[in-house]
Amino acid sequence: VLKTPDVDATMAFYRALGLAFVAEQHGRGPRHWAAQIAGVVLEIYPLNDGQLVDHSTRLGFTVGNLDEKLSALKSAGVTIAAESKSTSWGLRAVVQDPDGRSVELLQRPAEE
């Protein structure tokens, strides 16, 4: 669960990474948005008054083409915390979501 003061901006960021959200509400709880990724659910909730964003949360996603994804994110004004770098796991970069959370993007090496 990610809590944010700007649900629209946060959803737009994660949609740019390929997530598709649906609106949900459980009983009298707040309306929020959920996306499923390979059996994992990522939910975005509005931040309650007086609450602070948890900047210690770090998410990671694999992407098909890291250079393309970074270019699109840069054009959208996303902060790039660490540019693309080759690692033993593949090409890796770190960006920040609208609330300043680190999001690692990884393009795995092509299988031979």
Side-chain angles (χ1 to χ4, degrees), residues 31-54:
R31 183 178 164 115
H32 61 280
W33 290 261
Q36 288 200 10
I37 315 141
V40 174
V41 176
L42 177 73
E43 294 179 317
I44 297 176
Y45 274 76
L47 193 65
N48 293 330
D49 290 337
Q51 286 185 318
L52 300 175
V53 171
D54 176 8

Side-chain angles (χ1 to χ4, degrees), residues 28-105:
R28 293 183 175 192
R31 183 178 164 115
H32 61 280
W33 290 261
Q36 288 200 10
I37 315 141
V40 174
V41 176
L42 177 73
E43 294 179 317
I44 297 176
Y45 274 76
L47 193 65
N48 293 330
D49 290 337
Q51 286 185 318
L52 300 175
V53 171
D54 176 8
H55 291 107
S56 67
T57 300
R58 182 173 179 143
L59 301 173
F61 297 93
T62 55
V63 296
N65 185 317
L66 182 59
D67 290 334
E68 263 183 25
K69 188 62 69 180
L70 283 177
S71 178
L73 291 171
K74 283 178 185 177
S75 294
V78 169
T79 299
I80 309 300
E83 290 288 344
S84 177
K85 179 181 178 183
S86 183
T87 71
S88 57
W89 300 282
L91 288 176
R92 175 191 169 276
V94 178
V95 299
Q96 289 185 333
D97 79 2
D99 296 313
R101 294 180 196 93
S102 293
V103 178
E104 183 173 319
L105 304 177

